[in-house]
């Protein structure tokens, strides 16, 4: 159950973010982020920091189905999965940090409504 749910979480994140970044073979017709910007570079970095460890984790898991691996390899597999999860969280933090809604102040919009009503 854990591997299936982790696969759904990681694959949906990796595909959605690859589409947002227009990574090959994904292409986003309406780009919300311009390549070369600091935000793009951070999201690109965190995507790769999630993709490669997760890919290695998956390869180890598939290999483990057909043969018995040494416990150290299984520990390495776990560390790779944790690394991919932390990179995914870092990617979400980058998205949040650069989101324009983060700087929205609800009290200023209420004050603006009061000025318009007067």
């Amino acid at each position: 159950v854990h591997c299936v749910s982790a696969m759904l979480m990681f694959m949906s994140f990796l595909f959605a973010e690859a589409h947002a970044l227009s990574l090959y073979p994904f292409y986003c017709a309406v780009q919300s982020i311009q390549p070369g910007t600091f935000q793009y570079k951070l999201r690109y970095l965190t995507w790769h920091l999630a993709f490669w460890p997760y890919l290695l984790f998956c390869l180890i898991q598939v290999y483990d189905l057909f043969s018995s691996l040494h416990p150290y390899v299984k520990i390495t597999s776990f560390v790779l999965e944790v690394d991919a999860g932390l990179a995914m969280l870092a990617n979400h933090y980058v998205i949040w940090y650069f989101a324009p809604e983060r700087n929205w102040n609800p009290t200023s919009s209420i004050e603006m409504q009061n000025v318009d009503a007067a």
Side-chain angles (χ1 to χ4, degrees):
V1 173
H2 169 76
C3 284
V4 173
S5 60
M7 180 207 51
L8 291 172
M9 178 185 67
F10 279 109
M11 296 306 290
S12 61
F13 157 72
L14 290 169
F15 286 156
E17 189 64 8
H19 180 264
L21 296 174
S22 291
L23 300 177
Y24 182 80
F26 303 98
Y27 174 73
C28 187
V30 181
Q31 287 194 338
S32 60
I33 177 172
Q34 294 301 318
T37 61
F38 186 59
Q39 176 186 4
Y40 184 90
K41 290 176 183 177
L42 286 176
R43 287 175 69 173
Y44 183 80
L45 173 69
T46 54
W47 186 86
H48 278 282
L49 288 174
F51 175 75
W52 295 111
Y54 184 69
L55 180 66
L56 288 173
F57 164 77
C58 289
L59 292 174
I60 291 172
Q61 293 301 312
V62 169
Y63 188 78
D64 191 36
L65 288 174
F66 302 108
S67 64
S68 180
L69 291 174
H70 193 275
Y72 288 133
V73 177
K74 292 181 180 186
I75 292 170
T76 302
S77 171
F78 173 75
V79 170
L80 288 168
E81 184 183 19
V82 169
D83 177 61
L86 291 175
M88 184 176 67
L89 288 174
N91 184 276
H92 282 81
Y93 175 75
V94 169
I95 293 170
W96 169 81
Y97 184 80
F98 286 100
E101 296 85 3
R102 186 177 69 88
N103 297 317
W104 178 66
N105 186 355
T107 58
S108 67
S109 64
I110 293 171
E111 292 169 2
M112 292 297 288
Q113 288 175 356
N114 291 338
V115 170
D116 292 339

